């Protein structure tokens, strides 16, 4: 079975922001789409795991952006599974433009979940094997982002358009929420160069989430998202964490 899968995409007008740049959340959409297509070829797509009562869940993303694509550009994504670890199935992806220049690369960590208990199933006990490949160009897997005190907080409520087919907020929307913390004028002068997202728990419609955030030197935007309904904060309160590294736009 071919270990490397290639798929082409076109950056549509709805995939870019107010400055004409590909949204970071759409990068995640591309990554999830190409991973899903390759999984189907490998015999491990979501519908193919139903008889095992399993489903895929992504727990971490790390993306490095060399150049942000614009509307109308065509991209070629190459993706491949890396060797399975004790707990996860890592996947690497690189995107190139029509001239063959790299636009972005990523590593994502996928786990298998029990559809009934919503508990993680270790690869060694899942019966799901994925033959991995190392090409020497893979990013290092992101470590967890530790929560800390931050100076700003914004409340958001999960709405219908935030939800995906599983009935919970889609992880791509998390990144939209993160970018919304900064005004349009800031985005005009800065571009994302790297981001890491760690997903801890799912949220559903009408749940309220507190986005604790801080913009530090670099600039680096750090976000800790916590559900607000729980009277006593617990590990389950954490929804996601994000670290976004930006740079000034060179005109």
């Amino acid at each position: 079975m071919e270990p490397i899968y290639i798929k082409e995409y076109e950056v549509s007008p709805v995939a870019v922001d107010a400055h004409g740049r590909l949204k970071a959340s759409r990068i995640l959409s591309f990554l999830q789409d190409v991973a899903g297509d390759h999984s189907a070829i490998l015999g491990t797509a979501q519908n193919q795991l139903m008889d095992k009562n399993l489903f895929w869940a992504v727990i971490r993303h790390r993306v490095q952006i060399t150049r942000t694509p614009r509307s109308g550009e065509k991209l070629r994504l190459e993706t491949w599974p890396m060797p399975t670890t004790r707990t996860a199935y890592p996947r690497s992806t690189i995107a190139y433009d029509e001239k063959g220049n790299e636009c972005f690369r990523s590593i994502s960590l996928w786990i298998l979940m029990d559809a009934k208990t919503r508990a993680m199933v270790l690869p060694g006990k899942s019966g799901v094997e994925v033959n991995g490949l190392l090409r020497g160009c893979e990013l290092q897997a992101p470590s967890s982002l530790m929560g800390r005190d931050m100076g700003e907080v914004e409340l958001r409520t999960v709405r219908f358009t935030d939800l995906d087919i599983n009935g919970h907020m889609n992880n791509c929307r998390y990144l939209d929420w993160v970018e919304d913390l900064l005004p349009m004028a800031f985005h005009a002068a800065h571009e994302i160069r790297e981001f890491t997202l760690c997903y801890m728990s799912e949220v559903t419609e009408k749940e309220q989430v507190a986005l604790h955030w801080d913009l530090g030197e670099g600039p680096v935007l750090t976000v800790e998202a916590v559900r607000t309904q729980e009277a006593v904060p617990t590990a389950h309160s954490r929804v996601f964490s994000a670290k976004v590294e930006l740079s000034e736009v060179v005109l």
Side-chain angles (χ1 to χ4, degrees), residues 9-10 22 26-34 75 77:
Y9 294 87
E10 182 171 345
L22 178 63
R26 287 305 179 112
I27 291 179
L28 293 185
S29 296
F30 289 161
L31 296 177
Q32 292 186 43
D33 181 70
V34 75
L75 303 176
L77 270 64

Side-chain angles (χ1 to χ4, degrees), residues 17-249:
D17 62 19
H19 304 294
R21 307 172 193 143
L22 178 63
K23 294 178 182 178
S25 60
R26 287 305 179 112
I27 291 179
L28 293 185
S29 296
F30 289 161
L31 296 177
Q32 292 186 43
D33 181 70
V34 75
D37 283 358
H38 196 200
S39 292
I41 294 173
L42 297 176
T44 58
Q46 294 281 38
N47 63 330
Q48 295 166 312
L49 295 178
M50 290 179 63
D51 60 337
K52 296 179 181 289
N53 198 44
L54 299 172
F55 68 92
W56 288 112
V58 61
I59 57 171
R60 290 178 194 168
H61 271 119
R62 180 187 177 195
V63 176
Q64 285 185 350
I65 302 173
T66 305
R67 182 184 69 80
T68 307
R70 268 43 177 188
S71 179
E73 288 196 55
K74 294 182 179 179
L75 303 176
R76 185 184 84 255
L77 270 64
E78 296 183 358
T79 187
W80 63 96
M82 297 164 59
T84 303
T85 69
R86 187 183 68 85
T87 58
Y89 298 82
R91 173 170 287 274
S92 186
T93 306
I94 301 180
Y96 301 93
D97 62 20
E98 293 181 272
K99 295 181 180 180
N101 298 315
E102 181 179 325
C103 291
F104 58 85
R105 65 176 56 199
S106 78
I107 182 171
S108 52
L109 298 183
W110 295 82
I111 61 171
L112 285 168
M113 303 281 288
D114 186 291
K116 292 183 179 179
T117 66
R118 314 298 277 191
M120 182 177 72
V121 179
L122 294 175
K125 297 182 178 180
S126 68
V128 177
E129 295 185 7
V130 177
N131 294 323
L133 170 70
L134 289 176
R135 301 171 67 187
C137 57
E138 294 84 2
L139 292 177
Q140 183 176 349
S143 57
S144 60
L145 299 174
M146 300 303 294
R148 62 179 178 82
D149 292 333
M150 300 185 201
E152 306 288 341
V153 62
E154 181 171 317
L155 299 180
R156 294 286 295 255
T157 300
V158 180
R159 301 299 187 188
F160 172 73
T161 55
D162 295 317
L163 307 177
D164 60 21
I165 196 169
N166 296 312
H168 58 221
M169 182 168 171
N170 186 272
N171 66 288
C172 297
R173 288 288 292 141
Y174 292 164
L175 203 48
D176 286 331
W177 280 16
V178 168
E179 289 205 83
D180 283 345
L181 294 171
L182 300 173
M184 182 175 177
F186 181 91
H187 286 294
H190 298 83
E191 288 186 311
I192 296 176
R193 287 297 169 231
E194 181 171 342
F195 64 85
T196 298
L197 278 169
C198 297
Y199 313 103
M200 274 75 77
S201 61
E202 61 184 6
V203 284
T204 56
E205 187 178 16
K206 297 185 179 180
E207 284 197 83
Q208 189 179 63
V209 178
L211 302 174
H212 298 267
W213 65 280
D214 179 64
L215 184 63
E217 293 184 6
V220 176
L221 175 63
T222 306
V223 183
E224 179 80 7
V226 182
R227 54 171 43 84
T228 62
Q229 286 89 339
E230 298 178 25
V232 180
T234 65
H236 180 66
S237 300
R238 299 180 70 196
V239 178
F240 72 90
S241 296
K243 179 181 179 182
V244 182
E245 300 177 30
L246 305 108
S247 65
E248 292 187 3
V249 173

